[in-house]
Amino acid sequence: MRAHDGMYIDGAWRPAAGQDVIEVVNPADEQVVGTVPAGTAADIDAAVRAARAALPGWAATPPAERAARLTALRDVLDARRDEIAATVTAELGAPLKFSQAVHAAVPIAVAGSYAELAGTYAFEEKVGNSTVYHEPIGVVGAITPWNYPLHQIVAKAAPALAAGCTIVVKPAENTPLVAQLFAEAVHEAGVPAGVLNLVTGLGPVAGQALAEHPGVDLVSFTGSTAVGRRIASVAGAAVKKVALELGGKSANVILPGADLAKAVNVGVANVMSNSGQTCSAWTRMLVHRDRYDEAVELAAQAAAKYGERIGPVVSARQQERVLGYIEKGVAEGARLVAGGPEAPREKGYFVSPTVFADVGPDMTIAQEEIFGPVLSILRYEDEEDALRIANGTVYGLAGAVWAADEAQAVAFARRMDTGQVDINGGRFNPLAPFGGYKQSGVGRELGAHGLTEYLQTKSLQF
């Protein structure tokens, strides 16, 4: 697996300031597939300075030209989609078909959506006797996670570039190889030097340095709520804007009369996707008491089909964490109906697709984000009880509602304290705003709402 031994700064691969490296391990077989430099505060400073120097020119570039660069970037990514998929499979362990269908295809679509938006967005508008300008916020520090490594970079970099911002990306240390591939694509697409910069490294070192750097105007972070709090604190001290996409414990609410088999099967698939490493996963399934036992049986049968189909979790540490949650679920009295706390294979960081029944709303596995292939099924008495349970966590990122009557599902969804809800299995929409309520984050990604995060507003009165 090809890896650069330097940082992408100011349009070129440059030697790292330090000598330390990070080993990239394939979690499916525990083999090292590459090494990248462990960036320091000095590397971050060089990258931010390059972004700062490139900002005036890129901000002044006409939106049509920014759109052309994004179109070229989309085309380069599309041409390299097989390499993208293979790289993500090597460093994340995701099955190749899933990497092709999701890890490669989705960011290509998102890049294309921002190429179009950059050319059509109203960066200037008339409001009464005022002219309102939507201007780039400046230099963006993007700290991205490992679970959807390329998508999360594109979901930040594409709108930032469309807005006229320059950017420094610090990818997750587990999955830096596809980030390097992205920097290559940016270069090939003809994005000017310094507009996008990439520094690999550890979160507490490179990530911390990027978040607190005085030359950064906006910190965009996707990851755990705990780390998000620390970043918000650091940024707040400098009165610096943050965009935070954090944890989730989303509810999949199956109302009486819904197609139970479809709702359960789609719900299980949603949780098992990407080995459960999805912040918006519907990890709590809420079923009316009258059909609860039937739903549990259907879920156990569905989960059993995923035993050999899902990949590992990202690391030994993550495997230990997820298995610990499963043990806690058993200890707190939940009933295990599929999977369990034993690692299913001797090699690789695998976790069995796991389903718990008889889960109480206040149990740890119903309140905390596990980030693994673990589903909790909860019983409710009526719609008000279901709503209370659905809204009864500190999170509010996503969710689902199933009902025979679509209007009933929409009415219920409108009362959920969450940022995005799928109705009867609604399809993913890359133009719809994505983000959370409560401790699931601040701000939105994707589509026009995602673009506005990277803009600031100025009005001139006449």
Side-chain angles (χ1 to χ4, degrees):
M1 187 63 59
R2 183 179 64 184
H4 291 278
D5 59 3
M7 310 299 186
Y8 184 72
I9 297 175
D10 202 19
W13 293 96
R14 303 190 172 193
Q19 300 299 315
D20 292 340
V21 298
I22 298 169
E23 290 188 338
V24 183
V25 176
N26 184 334
D29 60 15
E30 303 179 41
Q31 298 300 305
V32 175
V33 295
T35 61
V36 297
T40 65
D43 296 303
I44 291 293
D45 183 62
V48 173
R49 288 178 182 274
R52 198 92 234 162
L55 179 61
W58 184 245
T61 300
E65 175 57 24
R66 299 201 296 261
R69 292 307 97 215
L70 282 165
T71 299
L73 175 59
R74 179 205 61 195
D75 292 345
V76 173
L77 293 174
D78 191 29
R80 299 181 69 173
R81 65 167 60 221
D82 289 343
E83 186 181 358
I84 290 169
T87 301
V88 175
T89 290
E91 59 186 352
L92 184 63
L96 184 59
K97 286 185 178 180
F98 187 79
S99 291
Q100 292 167 334
V102 176
H103 288 295
V106 172
I108 292 169
V110 171
S113 74
Y114 280 110
E116 182 175 345
L117 268 170
T120 60
Y121 190 84
F123 290 98
E124 177 182 334
E125 59 181 327
K126 291 288 188 180
V127 180
N129 65 306
S130 301
T131 300
V132 178
Y133 298 91
H134 302 284
E135 301 177 340
I137 198 167
V139 173
V140 175
I143 303 172
T144 62
W146 46 260
N147 59 328
Y148 291 91
L150 182 58
H151 167 65
Q152 295 289 358
I153 292 173
V154 172
K156 300 180 190 304
L161 297 179
C165 297
T166 56
I167 186 168
V168 177
V169 177
K170 204 299 286 183
E173 52 264 34
N174 306 81
T175 53
L177 301 180
V178 76
Q180 291 189 338
L181 191 158
F182 177 72
E184 293 175 358
V186 166
H187 190 87
E188 187 176 342
V191 175
V195 171
L196 184 136
N197 308 273
L198 176 75
V199 175
T200 54
L202 301 176
V205 179
Q208 177 83 9
L210 184 57
E212 64 187 15
H213 197 290
V216 171
D217 300 295
L218 162 66
V219 181
S220 180
F221 168 77
T222 298
S224 72
T225 297
V227 175
R229 289 193 196 100
R230 292 201 295 273
I231 288 174
S233 177
V234 168
V239 196
K240 186 181 302 185
K241 183 178 178 181
V242 294
L244 304 173
E245 199 269 278
L246 307 176
K249 195 68 185 176
S250 302
N252 179 18
V253 183
I254 306 173
L255 296 175
D259 184 336
L260 185 67
K262 181 178 180 181
V264 170
N265 283 318
V266 173
V268 170
N270 176 278
V271 172
M272 302 307 160
S273 178
N274 209 38
S275 304
Q277 300 169 127
T278 304
C279 53
S280 58
W282 311 332
T283 51
R284 295 180 298 146
M285 181 180 290
L286 279 57
V287 185
H288 188 268
R289 63 181 181 181
D290 290 347
R291 302 194 71 182
Y292 184 82
D293 291 340
E294 182 183 355
V296 169
E297 184 176 350
L298 287 169
Q301 293 171 358
K305 300 175 183 178
Y306 287 90
E308 299 298 321
R309 290 164 54 184
I310 65 172
V313 294
V314 73
S315 65
R317 179 182 178 183
Q318 186 66 13
Q319 181 192 45
E320 182 181 0
R321 180 178 186 273
V322 175
L323 295 178
Y325 271 110
I326 296 173
E327 291 173 351
K328 184 165 287 189
V330 173
E332 291 185 1
R335 176 164 56 98
L336 200 59
V337 297
E342 295 80 26
R345 305 186 196 181
E346 292 184 5
K347 197 77 169 177
Y349 310 129
F350 291 87
V351 175
S352 296
T354 297
V355 177
F356 279 105
D358 301 338
V359 178
D362 296 327
M363 287 184 180
T364 302
I365 59 171
Q367 288 290 320
E368 297 184 12
E369 185 177 45
I370 298 172
F371 228 59
V374 181
L375 170 65
S376 295
I377 309 180
L378 296 88
R379 181 187 289 105
Y380 69 85
E381 299 294 318
D382 53 29
E383 279 198 28
E384 292 304 315
D385 189 36
L387 185 68
R388 177 186 63 80
I389 296 170
N391 289 340
T393 75
V394 298
Y395 298 111
L397 186 56
V401 181
W402 302 79
D405 180 0
E406 185 176 289
Q408 180 190 17
V410 170
F412 189 95
R414 290 293 303 273
R415 295 201 291 160
M416 293 174 71
D417 297 334
T418 191
Q420 190 172 83
V421 184
D422 293 348
I423 304 297
N424 289 335
R427 293 181 295 109
F428 170 72
N429 179 4
L431 298 178
F434 178 76
Y437 287 19
K438 300 188 286 189
Q439 292 187 30
S440 284
V442 177
R444 292 294 180 269
E445 292 188 330
L446 304 181
H449 291 81
L451 178 58
T452 62
E453 295 292 334
Y454 298 89
L455 297 169
Q456 54 190 349
T457 305
K458 176 186 294 178
S459 65
L460 303 184
Q461 284 61 248
F462 294 89

